[in-house]
Amino acid sequence: MYINGNWASAPAESEFEVLNPATGGVIKSLPDGGAEAARSAIAAAAEAFPAWRATTPYQRAEFLMRAHTLMLERQEELARVLTEEQGKPLRAAMTEVKYASDFLAWFAEEGKRVYGEIIPSARADQRFYVLHQPVGVVAAITPWNYPISMITRKLGPALAAGCTVVLKPAEATPLTAIETFKVFEDAGFPPGVVNLVTTAEPGPVGEEFTANPSVAKLTFTGSTAVGKMLAGKAAGNMKRVSCELGGHAPFIVLADADPVHAAKGLQLVKFLNTGQACISPNRIFVHRDILDSFLETLTGRVAAMKAGNGMEQGITIGPLVNDAAVAKVENQVRDAVAKGAKVMCGGERLTDGALGQGHFFAPTVLNNVSPEMLIYREETFGPVAAVVPFDNDDDVLAMANDTNYGLAAYIYSQNLTKAMRLFEGLEFGIIGVNDINPASAAAPFGGMKDSGLGREGSREGIHEYLETKVGGFSI
Ligand code: NAP
């Protein structure tokens, strides 16, 4: 743990093990800080806040840019730690580290553009002067699936805004968080500005984050169930809240789309991170006129994927995070098949040879998925492409919106009018139109409905960490 500029330990009996999901082996034991460490870290952040908020955005940008440079210098080192504890192929981990560093550079600059306003008044003797100021101490909770970029997407804007931070990373991926905090330490952030608490029991830390009066804001990325619970508690204490939660992305392929191009795109985005992404397509709506061609391309490409330890050359798909994740995917596939879905490829756990030690599920394509199936409603978070054939382009908007989630959606069409109508009608926060990567540090990321509150990245992201103050001046 990193508290008030020092690396802190905990009693040996309260340590927890970090496991490699590809081999099942123990990588390291770490201190379990619990509520007490969270309290110390919050106190350190509260003490550091007045001096940090008093720095100029130009000074804060220098710290952030030093961290950005260090992160890129250590890109491979960080990626190796990430792959070992999280599982994604090393190349994908390198890409994630680069994406993570983008948030530091973006918000270093964005901090300089937190403009106020002067508003004319109806009274001749009055001026309104609007100022944005940092909210205060930020408590951040991040998930294991993108263990470095989810940290910088929160800490970049919070630090640029002038807030101090306490982070609790996911239990499965604390080693990447530790390496990231070494970057912050080496970038020279003053003691108490960034603090890290590791734990295997998130409950008590969550209680502290939502109850401690020194915390001004909670920022959370993870499941909808935990996000709702924490947001409820934080709201009870009038803390500011942002939540990036689960998704159930529709991927719509209209009759006029190029089915081969769409299938190639789907394969790339669906199996990214073994399907463990909040923006992963979960319902793939394909017009029946082009279904055969779409499925042929998709199945061919998916069947050619190579599962294994992400550290090895040529591996294109890694393990799932743990056995419970494999069991969930297995259950969704079993349920879908029992209700009439057809397995085009994959469909089962992978246990051959070394794969048996880890948590592997074969990359899978299911056809004829329908609304009664679990996979049609529940987030899969695994390597299963669930294809839902449809007959009429006019029906697909309602089908796509028929979910409590509203994070990402994808449209494939060569008809601009149809694509634009869908873009405007879809109740989702992030939409790719003939595009599988509608995310960047420069673009707002976040969801509607049960997928969350607030936006990260972009010029909006920094406002999640700012209060608005107005002054009425009589002159
Ligand atoms: P999760 O179980 O909600 O965990 C997320 C984080 O919350 C972890 O750090 C976890 O700690 C912590 N946590 C769990 N219970 C808690 C409690 N009672 N109090 C305080 N903290 C608690 O979600 P996950 O399974 O790790 O992540 C997958 C989910 O995240 C998916 O639904 C995915 O869609 C979503 N996600 C969303 C985005 C987005 O930007 N919208 C991005 C990535 C992931 P432990 O690790 O110790 O359990």
Side-chain angles (χ1 to χ4, degrees):
M1 295 182 291
Y2 187 68
I3 298 175
N4 206 19
N6 295 306
W7 289 98
S9 57
E13 63 275 12
S14 64
E15 291 202 336
F16 67 100
E17 290 177 339
V18 184
L19 306 174
N20 181 330
T23 64
V26 176
I27 308 172
K28 209 169 184 171
S29 287
L30 285 186
D32 190 332
E36 206 180 311
R39 258 192 303 281
S40 314
I42 292 166
E47 206 183 316
F49 177 59
W52 183 247
R53 73 176 288 176
T55 55
T56 68
Y58 286 82
Q59 291 169 316
R60 296 195 288 270
E62 283 179 22
F63 287 100
L64 286 164
M65 286 311 294
R66 275 202 295 276
H68 171 259
T69 304
L70 284 171
M71 198 168 265
L72 289 179
E73 280 172 15
R74 299 178 193 174
Q75 186 177 9
E76 184 163 354
E77 214 175 308
L78 286 158
R80 286 186 175 279
V81 174
L82 199 165
T83 292
E84 198 178 9
E85 66 177 353
Q86 197 273 337
K88 69 185 63 168
L90 192 56
R91 226 177 104 195
M94 294 281 284
T95 305
E96 190 190 335
V97 176
K98 166 71 178 65
Y99 180 51
S101 77
D102 288 349
F103 290 104
L104 301 175
W106 172 264
F107 284 109
E109 292 305 314
E110 231 19 52
K112 300 171 189 169
R113 289 187 274 272
V114 175
Y115 302 133
E117 257 185 315
I118 296 173
I119 301 174
S121 164
R123 264 171 44 203
D125 71 327
Q126 190 187 42
R127 305 288 178 273
F128 289 116
Y129 178 76
V130 177
L131 191 65
H132 299 289
Q133 294 182 314
V135 290
V137 173
V138 172
I141 299 180
T142 48
W144 48 265
N145 61 340
Y146 284 90
I148 188 163
S149 52
M150 296 302 96
I151 295 178
T152 55
R153 205 161 76 175
K154 296 182 184 311
L155 269 57
L159 295 168
C163 297
T164 54
V165 184
V166 180
L167 170 74
K168 190 211 84 64
E171 174 188 345
T173 54
L175 300 174
T176 307
I178 290 172
E179 293 308 310
T180 305
F181 271 65
K182 288 185 188 161
V183 166
F184 290 132
E185 180 185 30
D186 294 344
F189 282 92
V193 171
V194 285
N195 303 275
L196 172 71
V197 174
T198 51
T199 184
E201 274 202 44
V205 174
E207 289 290 335
E208 195 59 37
F209 279 6
T210 51
N212 191 309
S214 295
V215 173
K217 156 107 193 179
L218 175 74
T219 173
F220 173 83
T221 296
S223 62
T224 294
V226 175
K228 281 185 173 176
M229 183 273 289
L230 289 173
K233 289 188 176 179
N237 291 317
M238 210 43 78
K239 298 191 188 305
R240 278 71 187 124
V241 179
S242 321
C243 285
E244 294 289 348
L245 307 177
H248 206 278
F251 187 101
I252 301 169
V253 188
L254 296 186
D256 62 67
D258 172 348
V260 172
H261 182 56
K264 287 180 181 171
L266 187 270
Q267 185 260 336
L268 287 171
V269 64
K270 172 69 235 183
F271 295 93
L272 198 68
N273 209 18
T274 320
Q276 302 169 116
C278 50
I279 60 167
S280 190
N282 227 116
R283 291 163 298 150
I284 300 141
F285 297 106
V286 184
H287 196 285
R288 219 176 285 276
D289 286 357
I290 53 167
L291 182 64
D292 289 347
S293 165
F294 179 88
L295 281 175
E296 190 187 328
T297 304
L298 178 63
T299 308
R301 293 175 83 89
V302 174
M305 294 185 83
K306 192 158 187 286
N309 187 331
M311 288 291 194
E312 290 167 16
Q313 283 275 330
I315 294 301
T316 52
I317 188 159
L320 287 156
V321 65
N322 54 31
D323 199 56
V326 181
K328 180 180 180 189
V329 172
E330 204 169 30
N331 186 43
Q332 284 193 1
V333 170
R334 199 181 301 125
D335 168 82
V337 170
K339 291 172 182 162
K342 182 160 181 236
V343 178
M344 308 297 292
C345 67
E348 59 201 3
R349 275 175 195 257
L350 294 174
T351 51
D352 279 357
L355 296 180
Q357 308 294 314
H359 311 296
F360 290 93
F361 196 89
T364 298
V365 177
L366 291 180
N367 187 24
N368 288 335
V369 167
S370 56
E372 333 61 80
M373 299 173 188
L374 283 176
I375 199 165
Y376 196 93
R377 304 267 164 218
E378 265 185 12
E379 192 179 25
T380 302
F381 239 54
V384 184
V387 177
V388 186
F390 71 93
D391 295 296
N392 187 338
D393 282 356
D394 295 337
D395 298 338
V396 79
L397 176 63
M399 291 162 78
N401 281 338
D402 179 22
T403 167
N404 58 321
Y405 291 110
L407 191 59
Y410 305 84
I411 303 161
Y412 271 73
S413 171
Q414 296 185 29
N415 180 319
L416 182 62
T417 305
K418 285 188 174 189
M420 187 57 94
R421 283 202 184 121
L422 277 176
F423 173 71
E424 291 187 356
L426 283 166
E427 296 161 352
F428 294 81
I430 306 160
I431 300 181
V433 182
N434 298 319
D435 183 27
I436 51 162
N437 188 17
S440 140
F445 191 105
M448 300 178 182
K449 294 155 73 173
D450 276 356
S451 289
L453 286 175
R455 293 294 180 270
E456 292 189 326
S458 80
R459 64 180 180 198
E460 289 189 34
I462 198 162
H463 284 276
E464 301 286 330
Y465 301 94
L466 293 165
E467 284 284 16
T468 297
K469 182 185 276 182
V470 68
F473 287 76
S474 182
I475 54 172

